[in-house]
Amino acid sequence: MKPDLKPSLAGAMLLSLNLWACAPRALAMEEPIGSATGNAKPTARIAEFAGDRAAAISYTFDDNLRDQYTLAVPMLDEMNFKGTFFVIAGKTAETPEEGEQKQENGNPRNLWGGISWPELKNMADHGHEIASHTWTHPSLTKLTPEDLDAQLGKAYDAIKTRIGKPPLTIAFPGNASNPDVQAAALKYHVAYRGFQQSTKGNSTVASLNTWADKLIQEKKWGVLMIHGIAKGYAALSDPEIFHEHLKYVKGRERDVWIDTFANISRYEKERDGAKLKLAGDPGHITFELSSALNLQLDHVPLTIVIDAAGVTMASANRAGENLPVRVGKSSIQIEAVPSMQPIAVTWK
Ligand SMILES: [Zn+2]
């Protein structure tokens, strides 16, 4: 992709290019464009992950097992991390008391639905994602189209009603799907979990930390699938393993973006469909960040990285409103949702 240079009315050069971020890291943007005065033209790009971090992690919890609420949620809250909870809507307890009874039950399947609706609502109000794991957890690939739609639709409606917002994403029971199941799921949801790493009885702090390190090294998004914390299917040998791992990741927060499955899914889709159009000179530029996508739902902000060294102050303004700006050693970062309204950035 080559920058397309055209003279503007003022005689300055207008840099206009389409940035389709699904192409690996749009390097064309990084090429400095010399001007008549010898000053380099500003360059900018859409960050691969929010905050221009190297990697991303989503912690996802399946089957709404009660100890995810009593043990894992306080750990996540301590780090200010947001988790994604794939709940079996038709098995969910009505009250905390009913949830506690499920936890006492011996058969692992009877533990399902142990986080009650009011508790899930409270978690959602604190930023955790309450997502769908279908109505009753059947293997979706074996259902008729009508039954498949009922499993998806009933769970969607129940979560929307009980939580106050619709489930944006879904995880398939047993992670079993086929193209028909995936297409049906995308009628209700923005994304489905299509890849994951699982915690098990033999997971250790070291194995989880190594996984996180590898994601940072390979610049990837990792999705951890968690079932039991202390009890139930694939429970950890000790809940503190998860706690220690979260502390470790918190220490690497500059390199890894921890967020819900819905937020990182939306960021990726938006990033891959966004277009960045830049004009101006270093110290004073305007850009447009538009998206061809119609996600029918709220956009998440994308991180725009402008190359600029030795900056002491910067501001970004869109339609009279200041946008969040971070000044780094060699760049300025701006958080903005795609929209047709231009953004003016000034710095010195
Ligand atoms: Zn499950």
Side-chain angles (χ1 to χ4, degrees), residues 12 14-15 19 21 28 30 38 49 52 138 155 161 184 216 222 224 227 235 240 292 306:
L14 177 76
L15 176 62
L19 201 167
E30 301 296 342
F49 295 116
D52 201 26
T161 305
I216 293 166
L224 199 64
H227 284 85
E240 274 304 300
I306 301 168

Side-chain angles (χ1 to χ4, degrees), residues 1 17 65 110 165 169 183 231 251 257 267 286 306:
M1 200 185 331
L17 51 81
L65 307 180
N110 294 336
K165 45 189 165 188
T169 67
K231 197 174 170 183
W257 174 32
Y267 189 99
T286 57
I306 301 168

